Amino acid sequence: MALTHIIAVEVEARFPFQSLDVYIAARELAALVHGARVADGELRDQATRAAKSVFLNLCEGLPSDSGPMRRKHFALANGSLHELVGALDLACAIGALAPEPARRAQALAVRVKRMLRALLTARVG
């Protein structure tokens, strides 16, 4: 089952930040984690909350015109991204997550991390 469903929304009805690669990758990462079926309940909850936090903090930071607010939300997203990677790595290590979804999530997390790093150092305005 494909986890990348596109919402049928008119292009004009979308916010500009919804077209950014970082938004799309973070959304895909959150959807992948949600569908990954981590067998350990605590790690599933932790990973799911962290993935949602990455995405939602990006959604708060991307449209902001305030440099400090953007950096705050991007830093929170970055921390949650590392928490997510750790939870999935541990889940895989203890046999609570199959290697393939863990590999796909890791690859997406690396993509998001690179974009977050660029956002954290970018100047607003």
Side-chain angles (χ1 to χ4, degrees):
M1 178 172 121
L3 294 175
T4 55
H5 301 292
I6 307 243
I7 298 174
V9 176
E10 294 294 324
V11 173
E12 300 83 39
R14 296 173 59 94
F15 289 94
F17 70 88
Q18 289 179 289
S19 299
L20 297 175
D21 288 342
V22 69
Y23 176 92
I24 294 165
R27 184 183 65 196
E28 185 178 343
L29 180 59
L32 186 135
V33 170
H34 180 77
R37 310 258 195 276
V38 175
D40 181 281
E42 289 176 89
L43 287 175
R44 179 178 55 249
D45 179 60
Q46 197 76 19
T48 302
R49 285 185 299 110
K52 290 175 183 177
S53 178
V54 171
F55 179 72
L56 294 174
N57 272 294
L58 277 167
C59 290
E60 284 193 69
L62 287 170
S64 178
D65 291 330
S66 166
M69 287 304 291
R70 286 173 62 92
R71 282 189 296 280
K72 171 190 169 193
H73 288 293
F74 297 156
L76 289 169
N78 187 55
S80 292
L81 182 66
H82 288 86
E83 178 183 13
L84 168 61
V85 167
L88 294 179
D89 190 35
L90 181 56
C92 191
I94 66 172
L97 179 62
E100 183 52 26
R103 186 201 61 75
R104 287 195 326 263
Q106 180 76 26
L108 268 172
V110 167
R111 278 187 58 213
V112 171
K113 172 63 180 174
R114 288 180 182 143
M115 290 183 271
L116 263 176
R117 185 178 302 132
L119 287 168
L120 279 163
T121 60
R123 291 197 176 266
V124 177

